[in-house]
Every structure is written in C-alpha cells, then in structure tokens.
Amino acid sequence: MPPKINAPFVEKVLVRFIREELGKCGCKKGILGLSGGLDSAVCTVLATRALGPRNVLGLIMPYGKAFPEDVRDAENLARRLGIRHETIDIAPQVDAYFTAHPTGSRVQRGNKMARERMSILYDFSAREGGFILGTSNKTELLIGYGTIHGDMACAINPMGDLYKTQVRELAAHLRVPAAIRRKSPTAGLWPGQTDEAEIGLAYEELDDILCGLVEERKRRKEIIEAGHRPAAVDRVVRMIRNSEFKRKLPPIAKLSLRSVGHDFLYPYSGRGPGVTPGSASAVLVRKHKTRASGEPKARPLTTGENKP
Amino acid sequence: MKVALAQVSPRLGDVKANVELHLDVLEKARRTKADLVVFPELGLTGYTLKDLVEEVALDPHSDPLFRKITARTRGLAAVVGFVEERPSEKGLFYNSAAFIADRRLLHVHRKIYLPTNGMFEEAKFFAPGRDLRTFETPFGRVGLLICRDFLHYGASYVLYSSGADMIICISAAPGRGVGGGDAFETSRMWELMGETMSYFSTAFVLYANRVGIEDGVTFAGGSFIFAPGGRLVGRAAYLDPELLVRRIDLAAVREARKKWLFKRDEKPEVILRSLERAARAAED
C-alpha cells in the first residue's frame, strides 16, 4: 500500500502550496468544481484554509436533476465551510450540442459534460480573476482516469501526488463530512457509475499495484509474486502506458535550435526570457497584473479523448 | 561568536528583490549581534531557474547589486548563494557560494556535484566546480559546500583534511516523503550527515536550507548547527522562514579534538595514495 501519510504535515504543505502558487502570480482567489465527491471536498477544505472562505468559489455543475444527493452534499459542504458557491445546470448547453450531434456513447456524453464544466470554470476564472484548483489525485493521473481538457484542466493541482487511499486519510484528518467520505467514488459520467466497477479494481488493490510499480520501482513479475492477480497488474500497466499523453504537452515537431517544449525551458512560476538582473521587478509587476485581470495560467492541454 | 542561518524564501528570477531581502536580513542579523550570516543556495536568484540562469548570472567582484551586499558587511561576515559568471569565463555559469567578511570577498566555492536525475536538472544549466579548499576567516578555517556536495562525504573529508574548523553547507533542498513526523522524510538525510560530519570531523557544521515553493516543489527548511562531537546547537523550523541565531564557542573544536583523536590520527597521505589507485582503476 502507499505509505501512510502524516496528514497534519501534508495539510501544512498543501495549504502553503495553494497560498504561494497563487500569491506569486498576484492572485488571491481559488475556483473549483464541487462534485459532492471526496477529492473536490478535500481540495475545497485545503483551499479554504489557505485562502480564507471569501476567496474560494465552488461551482456545482450538475447535469439536470441527475445526482441530487451529490448536489445536496456539495451545497452542504460549501455552506459549512462558508465559501461562496453557485449551482449551474449544464443540461441546456450539453443538450443543445447532442441534439445537433446525437450519440449513443455514454463515455462520449460524459466527457462532453466534463469539458462543459471546464469551460464554465475557465470563464469564471476570467470573471473573478481566480485560479482553478485541480482535484485529480495520483491514482487517477497515473491510470489516466480523467477527461483531458475536462476535469484534468486546472491552473494548479494540490492533490496530484496523493493516492486515492491517501486522500481518504487526509479527508478524515480534515473532517470532511462522513456523507461524502462514505460514498462510492464516481466520476459521475452517468447514473450508477462507480470508479471501481469501471476500472475493474478496488482502490486499495489499485493503489497497492501502483505503489509497487511507481514508488518501489518493482517489475510486473515482483508485483505478481507479492500476491496480485496477473490480469490486474497487466490492466494497470496498460492503463498507465495508454494514458501518458494525458500527462504531457503534445509533442511539438522540432525544427529550430530552440523550440517550445524541447529547449525553451522556463519555470511555471518564473519569468519568460528577457529578465535581466535589476530590471526584473518592473517586468514582474506588469506580468502579474495581466494575469490577475485576464486568463490565469492554464496547465498544458493536450489533444486526446476519453475516460477511462 | 554568534551565527545566524537565514532560512529565507527568495523570489525566482528576481535578483533585485533578493538583494533587498538579503540586505534586510543582514540588518536584522546585525541587530542580534550576529558575526556570521549564512544564506541558502541560489538565494540571490531562486532555484528552478532553467534558461533564466544566464540572465541572473553575475560577477561578484563587479556586479553593482552584489557589491551592495558586500558593502553592507562592515564588521560581519556572510555566505551568499548566487549564479556566477566571470569575465574570464564568459558563458560558463556556476552555482556558487561567496564568503564575504568585512566588505571583502574572501572565497568563492563552485558547486561540484550537480544533481541531474529525476526532478533535478542542474548539470543541464550549470558548469561543475572543480575545486575544494578551505580558507582563513575571522572565525578560523572555513570550508564551503553547496547542497548535494554535502551528501558526498568525500567533500567534507577534504575540507576536514584541509584544516576546516567549520564546514558551511548552503542548500536549496526540496522535501520529499510525507510518511514520517512533522517534516519531510528527506530532512533526516541532511541531519544525519550533519551530525555525523560534526562528530567525526570534530568541526562545526552549519547547514542553511531555504523554504518556499517553486513549481510545486517545497523546500524543506530545517536549517541546523552542529557543534563538534555531534552536538545539536539549534535547528530552524521546517517549511517556514526563520532567522536562526545561536551562540557558538570556537574553542569547542579544540575541546573535541582533545577528547576524540580522529584529527591527530588522520592519515590523509594513505587515503590519497589509496584513492589515486582507486581512481586510476575506475578510469581503466
């Protein structure tokens, strides 16, 4: 299993991470989608502790009347934390599209919904001058269980180095309401969907295999010897391999001596080229202003489809 | 004497702001009557520079911003981390540490071991230093190391053999591993080395790490001072900025060496001969 975390220490680090990554871009506000599930609840608590409730905006974006309990849980959490929140029904915009371009694919519809939510989040990000906080955990990122350009899109991600089972530990420490902690994890792509049924593995087993492959750098053979079903291990290996494109910028065809994505290399929170010692401050102030009033920095968006 | 470890969080790529930060901390330290102030690795520039390296590089003898710091060391000493580029070596950038005392630049150490694996990519952007030496200061003989240099224990051995009374390591060590106590698991690694080196070199070990976050990476803090014999004199907070000021007694070096005769019984010439053989064998 992934190592047990020292939850109070993790909270300290992540609260500082949210505060500093936003602060250095001159931004005080965090915006995130509230699904009523565990990951977004944990992220909301962290954001509230980092930025204060007035600086956190939770958008609850159900598709029509689907998932009423999740909407209720999300609204209760927002009220309990005292954050600003708003509920926006995405059905009209989703239906408008699928009326013109029908599909029988649940996955395709679910992905479209995830991207509609993303487009709303980014619009609010521009309206509010806030940063979008991502809620993808390490388990999801590793197996690619997320919609590219959808729920994976964010400005910063505080949770991406915590396995799902570790998020649960953190949730208990942060006193996330039991109603949220006890429900089955679901991407909410369609009613009755659960992550574990769709992935075909319980999170405990999945995290144990991932931890062996990633943290302990074990081979397939060693993980099977440790007691895992070969089919399960192979499935996890395949999911990791097939989702690398979701964790990277798209490859750029290299032509010049210095190309974006290859050898034009700058830190996220740093500055572009042209900063000289002594003149840096002026440049920074200007850049911060642009960012605060305009689009926040977006994380790399790559082309590609689908979940899972 | 009083030493101060300046556990600060520099602004990435902003030399001017960081010089101001250094000047502020120097004044604060001066008010505590500190004799020596140690700043972290790349304190004048931030760590995750990548292609910004060439834009923030400076010559400590002539750069007007750096000279502001030098000028502000009347009656005290400071160790400052910066990106070095000398006029005689244009286009070569070093991750360097300067020892300044009473407005004079006494020594510059260039980081030798540039971690370049996994999350680290220093050798992509920096040239490696090629020398280790100690130098005289108002507080005895001192040797400087930068971050990863300290984890290669041969480096501390050379400083010890070269007569160091004090080994100063400046660092920008990212924290990793959250399964332990109220610190990153990697903090233990540095403390273990600090304790060990101060124990067996019977010298002082000062370790100044930074705090703050760059591109998702959290610098662990936890700067410390060990007196000869592995005695912890003080440790700064993990994660948060602090100016750790402690009084140390340089006589402790002599005291420890009366008790533990490692220094007297050391045989650098045997080590050197054996090392030469080992190095030749490794080259074959």
Side-chain angles (χ1 to χ4, degrees):
Chain A
M1 282 305 275
K4 216 176 134 41
I5 57 166
N6 179 338
F9 182 69
V10 170
E11 180 199 340
K12 262 187 177 174
V13 173
L14 296 183
V15 162
R16 282 162 178 75
F17 166 76
I18 295 170
R19 203 179 285 148
E20 276 202 35
E21 291 289 356
L22 265 62
K24 69 180 79 163
C25 294
C27 177
K28 285 198 191 85
K29 288 190 208 168
I31 301 176
L32 73 175
L34 268 184
S35 68
L38 186 75
D39 297 325
S40 64
V42 166
C43 194
T44 308
V45 178
L46 292 170
T48 306
R49 295 193 182 170
L51 308 170
R54 302 311 303 164
N55 288 316
V56 179
L57 173 61
L59 295 183
I60 302 162
M61 296 174 283
Y63 174 77
K65 299 277 176 234
F67 308 108
E69 308 83 32
D70 289 336
V71 172
R72 199 193 53 221
D73 289 341
E75 285 172 346
N76 285 342
L77 178 75
R79 272 194 289 271
R80 194 175 144 151
L81 294 172
I83 63 166
R84 296 161 58 217
H85 63 285
E86 197 162 325
T87 303
I88 299 169
D89 180 4
I90 62 166
Q93 62 202 81
V94 172
D95 291 347
Y97 177 80
F98 284 115
T99 304
H101 305 280
T103 176
S105 161
R106 292 192 300 188
V107 171
Q108 223 171 302
R109 285 181 62 85
N111 280 325
K112 176 72 177 158
M113 290 179 202
R115 295 199 183 104
E116 291 304 324
R117 294 188 182 103
M118 178 279 291
S119 77
I120 293 169
L121 282 168
Y122 272 83
D123 182 59
F124 269 81
S125 163
R127 285 165 195 267
E128 300 265 338
F131 263 34
I132 297 170
L133 307 179
T135 61
S136 299
N137 60 55
K138 190 172 190 172
T139 306
E140 292 175 332
L141 289 176
L142 282 169
I143 63 169
Y145 195 69
T147 300
I148 193 162
H149 297 186
D151 54 289
M152 292 181 85
C154 60
I156 62 165
N157 180 350
M159 333 242 314
D161 206 13
L162 289 171
Y163 288 100
K164 182 74 175 186
T165 47
Q166 295 175 321
V167 175
R168 287 178 181 153
E169 287 179 61
L170 185 57
H173 162 71
L174 295 175
R175 302 206 179 137
V176 168
I180 292 174
R181 278 193 284 136
R182 292 202 188 116
K183 64 172 83 165
S184 296
T186 173
L189 295 190
W190 58 81
Q193 182 199 30
T194 68
D195 294 356
E196 293 178 328
E198 211 187 346
I199 298 167
L201 290 164
Y203 268 117
E204 286 74 13
E205 188 181 8
L206 176 57
D207 280 358
D208 198 40
I209 295 172
L210 284 173
C211 187
L213 288 167
V214 176
E215 314 301 312
E216 294 156 22
R217 300 172 194 247
K218 283 187 184 151
R219 301 277 179 107
R220 171 185 179 277
K221 196 168 141 259
E222 297 170 283
I223 293 172
I224 292 167
E225 279 164 8
H228 284 287
R229 294 171 293 146
V233 179
D234 288 339
R235 187 165 165 72
V236 174
V237 169
R238 202 164 50 240
M239 285 191 287
I240 296 175
R241 225 178 258 163
N242 292 344
S243 60
E244 187 57 28
F245 71 93
K246 294 188 183 182
R247 293 184 288 270
K248 284 213 174 92
L249 268 171
I252 291 173
K254 180 144 180 85
L255 297 171
S256 69
L257 271 174
R258 199 176 185 208
S259 326
V260 172
H262 294 279
D263 26 38
F264 178 81
L265 303 169
Y266 290 92
Y268 282 112
S269 46
R271 329 294 164 208
V275 182
T276 47
S279 71
S281 297
V283 176
L284 289 184
V285 172
R286 226 171 26 247
K287 286 186 83 152
H288 287 169
K289 278 191 183 147
T290 317
R291 191 160 273 163
S293 59
E295 288 278 301
K297 63 178 179 182
R299 270 305 183 259
L301 299 177
T302 56
T303 52
E305 232 342 83
N306 94 46
K307 164 162 203 147
Chain B
M1 70 176 288
K2 256 188 180 176
V3 297
L5 304 185
Q7 186 168 287
V8 294
S9 173
R11 274 181 73 151
L12 188 57
D14 194 343
V15 177
K16 197 174 176 190
N18 293 323
V19 167
E20 290 308 316
L21 172 71
H22 280 56
L23 294 177
D24 282 353
V25 174
L26 272 179
E27 284 319 302
K28 273 200 196 87
R30 189 189 293 281
R31 285 198 293 275
T32 70
K33 306 245 187 312
D35 301 289
L36 168 65
V37 191
V38 186
F39 291 94
E41 175 186 17
L42 296 174
L44 288 190
T45 62
Y47 180 74
T48 319
L49 291 162
K50 300 178 185 254
D51 280 356
L52 290 177
V53 160
E54 57 99 6
E55 301 190 29
V56 298
L58 57 85
D59 169 26
H61 289 287
S62 61
D63 182 82
L65 284 170
F66 194 96
R67 284 166 58 116
K68 271 172 108 170
I69 296 177
T70 309
R72 209 69 79 79
T73 57
R74 185 192 292 271
L76 55 75
V79 179
V80 175
F82 65 106
V83 178
E84 181 191 8
E85 182 186 19
R86 294 292 174 104
S88 55
E89 290 181 277
K90 287 187 185 67
L92 295 188
F93 310 109
Y94 297 96
N95 179 342
S96 294
F99 192 105
I100 310 160
D102 202 17
R103 292 163 295 160
R104 282 185 51 230
L105 183 58
L106 296 189
H107 184 75
V108 174
H109 169 69
R110 295 168 169 178
K111 188 173 186 176
I112 297 165
Y113 298 98
L114 301 170
T116 305
N117 64 292
M119 64 181 289
F120 300 104
E121 40 186 27
E122 288 184 33
K124 277 172 80 170
F125 304 103
F126 290 109
R130 298 183 182 283
D131 196 17
L132 273 172
R133 59 180 69 203
T134 56
F135 50 96
E136 276 308 320
T137 76
F139 330 107
R141 260 194 118 65
V142 169
L144 295 178
L145 297 173
I146 303 178
C147 204
R148 180 69 180 273
D149 289 343
F150 189 52
L151 300 181
H152 293 258
Y153 49 79
S156 293
Y157 178 81
V158 173
L159 297 180
Y160 159 59
S161 309
S162 310
D165 302 306
M166 191 186 289
I167 295 170
I168 301 174
C169 174
I170 67 171
S171 189
R176 285 155 291 156
V178 291
D182 203 30
F184 281 107
E185 287 165 37
T186 45
S187 291
R188 172 74 188 129
M189 176 171 82
W190 297 96
E191 290 160 12
L192 187 61
M193 188 60 103
E195 183 176 355
T196 306
M197 285 305 152
S198 67
Y199 204 110
F200 296 101
S201 66
T202 44
F204 280 93
V205 172
L206 275 49
Y207 172 80
N209 193 21
R210 63 163 287 186
V211 288
I213 297 172
E214 288 178 1
D215 286 4
V217 172
T218 299
F219 298 94
S223 305
F224 56 73
I225 302 164
F226 275 101
R231 193 174 62 78
L232 183 66
V233 178
R235 183 180 56 70
Y238 298 112
L239 304 183
D240 291 321
E242 185 174 334
L243 182 66
L244 179 78
V245 185
R246 288 290 183 275
R247 190 176 293 284
I248 61 171
D249 182 2
L250 290 171
V253 174
R254 185 166 183 271
E255 289 307 308
R257 287 177 186 175
K258 284 196 297 190
K259 190 163 146 200
W260 302 103
L261 301 190
F262 306 127
K263 179 70 183 167
R264 190 199 70 183
D265 298 343
E266 190 46 57
K267 293 190 166 46
E269 70 290 350
V270 177
I271 300 293
L272 177 64
R273 263 202 314 277
S274 313
L275 260 185
E276 271 172 353
R277 193 184 319 116
R280 267 199 308 276
E283 275 177 5
D284 287 342

